[in-house]
Amino acid sequence: MLKPSVEAILNRQIGVESAASYKYLAFASWCDVEGYSGAAKFLYEHSDEERMHMMKLFRYINDKGGKSVVPAIDMPHQDFKSLKEVFESAYQNEVEVTESINQIAALALQEADFTTYNFIQWYINEQLEEENLYRSILDKFKLVGEEGNNLYFIDVEIEKLCKGSSNPATGAES
Ligand code: OFO
């Protein structure tokens, strides 16, 4: 059985992952409308991944005898000044999610809940990868700049980071 404090923080994380999925959907939609089709594809795919992260928590809580709660989600910010601002926001989101995951790991240890501590390691590794990924995208803006055709080339490079494209609704793999 999950301790109430662990169940509560895992349910909080369901909300964090769901909100992340919506934020990425908003990022993707902005890129789609502005003609950055590569970035849109990548971000739609990432939105689907965040939903998968949410579902993994959802199942874990119920499997451990707790009760997963479907969260209310605030409308995400949807207007951006530039493609770079979209990716700065995405990076900032990842930093905040990492902090939230770290709090779960700390609580699981404090409560001697080693099963949850073990479960949350997957998210710790995932956050490391995602922070690095978004930092590497921001580096592209620094390296080539945003003048002339450079945004087009950045968009093409971002599309190369997609993992697949089998979701007919979004162009992203589910
Ligand atoms: Fe859920 O992985 Fe990023 O936020």
Side-chain angles (χ1 to χ4, degrees):
M1 278 298 279
L2 286 173
K3 291 191 176 153
S5 60
V6 175
E7 183 175 339
I9 204 169
L10 290 171
N11 265 312
R12 184 189 77 177
Q13 193 62 27
I14 285 180
V16 170
E17 302 290 345
S18 302
S21 180
Y22 267 41
K23 284 180 193 173
Y24 280 100
L25 198 52
F27 298 151
S29 180
W30 185 90
C31 292
D32 215 356
V33 169
E34 294 294 322
Y36 298 114
S37 56
K41 188 173 170 190
F42 172 79
L43 291 162
Y44 280 130
E45 183 177 275
H46 197 123
S47 173
D48 286 347
E49 278 183 23
E50 295 297 349
R51 185 172 189 282
M52 181 273 281
H53 300 170
M54 183 274 286
M55 286 306 301
K56 213 169 150 72
L57 283 153
F58 209 88
R59 292 201 195 94
Y60 178 77
I61 295 171
N62 284 347
D63 285 352
K64 291 281 292 171
K67 184 168 188 340
S68 297
V69 178
V70 178
I73 304 174
D74 291 338
M75 184 187 282
H77 184 63
Q78 346 224 344
D79 290 315
F80 304 95
K81 285 198 305 283
S82 63
L83 186 63
K84 186 177 173 203
E85 194 192 30
V86 166
F87 281 91
E88 284 169 344
S89 304
Y91 176 68
Q92 188 51 38
N93 178 69
E94 293 308 327
V95 170
E96 287 166 15
V97 173
T98 299
E99 175 53 28
S100 178
I101 294 289
N102 286 343
Q103 288 170 5
I104 298 175
L107 183 73
L109 270 188
Q110 187 187 315
E111 298 283 11
D113 179 347
F114 300 111
T115 311
T116 298
Y117 185 70
N118 186 44
F119 169 76
I120 214 67
Q121 298 308 307
W122 183 90
Y123 289 83
I124 290 175
N125 292 328
E126 182 70 14
Q127 284 311 120
L128 179 64
E129 267 179 35
E130 290 187 349
E131 280 195 32
N132 286 340
L133 177 62
Y134 283 94
R135 204 178 298 112
S136 76
I137 293 174
L138 288 176
D139 284 345
K140 294 185 199 304
F141 289 92
K142 249 191 269 163
L143 285 171
V144 301
E146 297 172 73
E147 299 76 33
N149 293 334
N150 291 352
L151 284 174
Y152 170 77
F153 292 112
I154 290 176
D155 188 53
V156 168
E157 287 301 310
I158 293 171
E159 182 166 9
K160 290 182 190 162
L161 299 170
C162 290
K163 294 177 185 161
S165 60
S166 64
N167 185 332
T170 62
E173 193 158 76
S174 51

